[in-house]
Amino acid sequence: MCGITGGWIFEEKHSLDVRMKSALYAMRLRGPDDSGYERLPAGRGTVVMGHTRLSVIDLSAGGHQPMHSSCGRYAMVFNGEIYNYLELRSELRGLGATFKSESDSEVLLAAWAQWGSACLKRLVGMFAFAIFDRNEKRLTCVRDGFGIKPLLFAYGDDGFVFGSEIGAIKALRAQKIELDWQRAYDYLVHGDYDNGHRSFLSGVSHVLPGHLVSLDTATGELTEQLRWWQPEIAQHDIGYREATEIVRKKFLNSVRVHLRSDVAIGAALSGGLDSSAVVCAMRHLEPDLTIKTFSFIARDNPLSEEVWVDQINTFIGAEAHKVLVQPEDLARDLDDMIKAQGEPFGSTSIYAQYRVFEAAKAQGVTVTLDGQGADEMLAGYSGYPGQRLHSLLDKKDWRGAISFIDSWAKWPGRSRMAACKRLAGELTSGNLYRQLRRLNGSQFNPAWLNAGPLLDNGIQIGFDAQQHADEQPGRRVAAALRNALTEKGLPSLLRHADRNSMRFSVESRVPFLTQDLAEFLLSLPEEYLISDGGETKHIFRAAMRGIVPDAVLDRRDKIGFATPEKDWLLPITETMRGWLKEDIGLPFLNRLKILREFDAVMEGRSPLTSQIWRWVNFYRWHYHVIAN
């Protein structure tokens, strides 16, 4: 796990060296064990590649980067882990490849030299890497299928730059960093972020999950982002019992390879089904493994999952570490967390995660396993009822739809009306969809927003037209899951985890997220994922019988990674108000009206919503990233 940066740049040697050292320093926590960079002549510019290393596989100097292929054609910097590197190395040796180290990085480089981009679908792992082909004079940047590992880039008159974090991009770009107003509007008004290629910085893009971008350094031509992987969602007819056995086998195999490490491994345990399944699988596979778990506990709060955390820790014999947070802790760490995240984010739950990784670091744990991604693969959360009903209506199964509404509504926190609202949202689009959002209380032009400057600068304000994930009748849930996995939903959660873990030089692994498992789950009949009785993750619960305690598998509530946000924010009201009083020079924000609404909420005259956090988060992020 590391940080990578570089690009194709037109600068004289000294200036380029200064910028590269600044970029590497910005990512020092991503790779505290080693760093380096190299310059490679390329046309009218210079390809420069830099790397900061967190040693996890092969702790020797053999893993130093930039790394060069044995044939001398390719140079690479790589961030991530290739979990099936042992199997790939054996196959490549059979094809004549030789290796100088035990690192997975060298295996990835040899795989690219052997198969080119066709190697990507062979990889089990999380990765972002840049590779320079000296023969073709081509620099290619690649991101894994789910976007577990970050990669940003910018392209302009000053060349092409890439980096794992915003700080590295800032250090390398000759142009002044400016705010992307569209992204700012989408976040501040609608809470949307990390759902496309645009970052919060104008002209800086994310390489999308499962995509690559390539620069011809001979001509300076940059390709459009090219998709190299997306899970298929066509239904595969298979019996439920056979499918359950396959899910169990694939999940256990994924956890097995995710345990490969030359440093200490622990686990983030929330108490829910997903993280519980991961740690129970760890114990099932490795009966003698020392397992340290790290859990956020909202003690004396109805949100607390402590009873479930305790049950799992007792069941697997783990060494438990509990994170308790006081309101003053958030005030102390807020600026550091915002800087670590690099871009604004949605809620204070990210702080609880930040503290979990801090605790792992304090206990000497360098690698953690996490249950992230299961909800988006197994129809978790509330079970995607709108899409499930839509699929049933596609099949003219009216009786099945009515039965599903009744069964789904019997679970905690649900109702028939909620199911019908979800279906209405699923079936509508265009102006009707926008009107429904208004009726549901959403606003696109709140009083604290000055729309004039936005419109004058071509910013689109309003509600986006409803974009259905895919028009495949009868496969609406599968289509929505694919969209949540790779486009809108999971990418933001993965960004939070990457930045929080790397802030403390901890590698966060997510064994649910393999291409193989995703493709199989998204091909199953939808009733295997969300049962006719309204049970979410239906087939996975069955697959984990005998590995996870029945009490956890049979839970009917879903708390999620929730935090007592109001309790945390009220004690720092005056601090937050001081931040919001500052004039940050954005004409589309009405400071007086923001303060008026802020006071109404903090004084109890209006309900607390995520809007408060978004204002505070954005103001502090703007101060650290844009203003300085």
Side-chain angles (χ1 to χ4, degrees), residues 204-250:
V204 178
S205 297
H206 295 274
V207 177
L208 294 169
H211 283 69
L212 61 82
V213 63
S214 184
L215 177 80
D216 185 335
T217 62
T219 65
E221 181 181 358
L222 182 71
T223 67
E224 296 292 328
Q225 295 208 39
L226 303 175
R227 184 187 295 274
W228 64 264
W229 179 76
Q230 183 182 47
E232 296 294 330
I233 61 172
Q235 182 170 315
H236 173 54
D237 292 325
I238 183 174
Y240 182 75
R241 179 172 295 181
E242 180 184 359
T244 301
E245 292 174 354
I246 293 174
V247 169
R248 180 186 178 104
K249 180 179 179 181
K250 287 182 181 294

Side-chain angles (χ1 to χ4, degrees), residues 211 244 427 438 475 614:
H211 283 69
T244 301
L427 296 176
R438 291 190 186 95
R475 301 294 294 164
R614 292 203 298 272

